[in-house]
Amino acid sequence: MKIGILTGGGDCPGLNAVVRGVTKSALKKGWEVTGFKDGYRGLVENRYIKLEDRDVSGIIIRGGTILGTSNTANPFAYTLEPLSEAGSPKDLSALAVSNLKKLGIGALVAIGGDGTLNIAKKLHEMGVAVVGVPKTIDNDLSATDVTFGFDSALKVATEAVDKLHTTAESHHRVMILETMGRYAGWIALRSGIAGGGDIILIPEIPYREQDIVAAVNERRAKGKNFSIIVVSEGAKSEKGEMTVSKVVKGSPDPLRLGGVSYKIAGIIEGEIKVECRVVVLGHLQRGGEPTPFDRWLSTGFGAYAVGLIEKKQFGRMVAFKNFCCTSVTLKDAVTALRRVRPDSQEVLTALSVGTSFGNSRYKV
Ligand code: F6P
């Protein structure tokens, strides 16, 4: 048996741990493993390496991906890099499939988020034996309780909240931390709860400007001259839109969010005599070592993916439910985004300890 493996979309801690988990489990069965470089780009352009035990030895701890990745490589709408010089996209999916056949690859493990898994689903519809593994710091895939990479991003965000606390307190300032997460507020919500944030702003609960100001004033009235706000990059007001920082042509989702924290600072400084400072955490959330949880989860995902291949259960994605690995169809995996439910226990927990979501309609 010869299997292929690739990592697609944005990187995150734990990718190497999955590559290791898949490779070691497959080699143990006497299979061969081919790693495609730079996500689906390697598949279309026939760029790959043979993975041996020594290639994956010691990589469980390393962030990023030894295979490289791409968030613009889509075999069904392929553009050459650099994107600024790229012509119109071409459907090169048949080439990708024929490359796999020529290499004698019997199954492909695609590790990625919704974009990568959507492509995996379409390749499966063309007859490729595919197994998906859910990656993303955003934790926004509905078919799994958690994706790997999220816990590591959460650790970075929570440490940032902790560090901002002391400086906010010393200077009597409002410190605003902007986290990633795209259209889901998981990183902001959980780091906000874990770090004791005073105001948490997430896309799922659109804010009201006057209610953010009221929450800061309420704290001041209690003698608390500083506030910590954790805002997800996708947060928006009840009447407003998300803040787009960049458009990346050729990417499955071309919109890049960012900058909402500056809006929030402007709103507060416009109404209250207080100094605000903004920290946009950005790609720090995607770097560095995976947490123990992510290493454990990624290793489990990798081994389980090989098990699915052995049982010929293709067109499926490894998932994590009730603290166990299981699998779901790729179709179910990409159907809906997993977003924070405003009536969830987590939101109620935050409200119970006095956290504001910048909207007075949400209260306990
Ligand atoms: O999906 C992961 C993620 O880090 C999002 O949280 C963020 O919005 C986006 O990717 C950033 O993408 P890029 O690396 O292309 O700037």
Side-chain angles (χ1 to χ4, degrees):
M1 179 68 164
K2 202 170 173 184
I3 65 166
I5 180 168
L6 60 82
T7 53
D11 71 337
C12 77
L15 281 169
N16 282 327
V18 180
V19 171
R20 174 181 173 273
V22 168
T23 306
K24 281 192 178 267
S25 314
L27 293 177
K28 210 158 187 295
K29 293 185 190 299
W31 301 357
E32 264 185 44
V33 185
T34 298
F36 289 98
K37 304 285 282 177
D38 305 329
Y40 289 111
R41 243 172 235 297
L43 194 57
V44 171
E45 296 169 11
N46 223 12
R47 291 191 285 112
Y48 56 87
I49 49 167
K50 194 173 168 202
L51 289 172
E52 305 285 3
D53 192 73
R54 63 174 175 275
D55 299 310
V56 296
S57 218
I59 66 168
I60 193 168
I61 193 172
R62 269 171 62 185
T65 161
I66 59 162
L67 294 176
T69 186
S70 164
N71 63 3
T72 50
N74 177 357
F76 296 89
Y78 203 75
T79 38
L80 292 172
E81 278 181 321
L83 291 172
S84 52
E85 290 161 26
S88 50
K90 291 190 178 60
D91 184 352
L92 298 184
S93 53
L95 178 62
V97 176
S98 106
N99 284 342
L100 282 170
K101 277 202 185 124
K102 279 189 202 146
L103 288 168
I105 288 173
L108 178 69
V109 179
I111 311 168
D114 54 351
T116 305
L117 296 169
N118 240 311
I119 295 168
K121 175 179 152 276
K122 285 161 91 178
L123 287 173
H124 180 247
E125 284 159 6
M126 290 175 75
V128 178
V130 187
V131 166
V133 179
K135 162 241 71 162
T136 168
I137 64 163
D138 304 337
N139 200 28
D140 61 355
L141 293 177
S142 60
T144 180
D145 289 350
V146 68
T147 55
F148 75 85
F150 173 63
D151 190 60
S152 304
L154 194 54
K155 178 170 180 271
V156 173
T158 305
E159 281 170 4
V161 178
D162 292 347
K163 286 180 177 152
L164 291 178
H165 240 117
T166 48
T167 174
E169 202 167 359
S170 308
H171 283 273
H172 318 301
R173 281 176 174 159
V174 174
M175 299 297 295
I176 305 170
L177 177 74
E178 181 173 318
T179 66
M180 281 185 165
R182 267 198 323 172
Y183 310 117
W186 295 107
I187 302 177
L189 176 64
R190 295 227 177 129
S191 64
I193 292 175
D198 306 303
I199 300 171
I200 299 174
L201 304 176
I202 56 175
E204 295 87 344
I205 302 182
Y207 62 79
R208 290 172 169 173
E209 295 186 3
Q210 71 275 19
D211 290 350
I212 297 175
V213 172
V216 173
N217 270 333
E218 221 171 276
R219 281 179 55 77
R220 285 156 66 88
K222 285 185 197 154
K224 296 182 177 175
N225 286 331
F226 72 97
S227 290
I228 304 287
I229 303 183
V230 187
V231 52
S232 179
E233 62 181 358
K236 58 178 184 181
S237 74
E238 276 188 341
K239 293 186 210 120
E241 298 293 325
M242 292 185 180
T243 313
V244 174
S245 66
K246 199 180 168 97
V247 176
V248 181
K249 275 201 283 176
S251 182
D253 181 354
L255 298 187
R256 292 296 175 275
L257 304 174
V260 62
S261 46
Y262 292 97
K263 275 190 196 165
I264 306 297
I267 293 165
I268 296 169
E269 284 183 340
E271 293 291 328
I272 312 175
K273 267 199 159 81
V274 66
E275 265 192 292
C276 295
R277 290 290 186 273
V278 165
V279 176
V280 180
L281 207 43
H283 291 80
L284 283 175
Q285 291 157 102
R286 299 224 309 246
E289 291 174 4
T291 58
F293 177 81
D294 272 339
R295 294 180 207 182
W296 171 80
L297 184 67
S298 301
T299 305
F301 275 178
Y304 200 86
V306 169
L308 287 179
I309 294 174
E310 193 167 36
K311 287 183 257 157
K312 302 206 179 319
Q313 294 195 4
F314 300 120
R316 302 190 71 80
M317 182 193 81
V318 180
F320 192 67
K321 288 189 176 168
N322 303 319
F323 262 80
C324 274
C325 284
T326 177
S327 73
V328 295
T329 63
L330 279 170
K331 187 167 168 276
D332 286 342
V334 296
T335 311
L337 278 186
R338 181 172 176 275
R339 303 182 75 208
V340 176
R341 274 192 301 110
D343 63 348
S344 63
Q345 198 181 39
E346 295 191 53
V347 170
L348 288 178
T349 300
L351 289 167
S352 303
V353 296
T355 305
S356 160
F357 283 88
N359 189 323
S360 55
R361 283 198 297 122
Y362 294 85
K363 55 179 178 232
V364 283

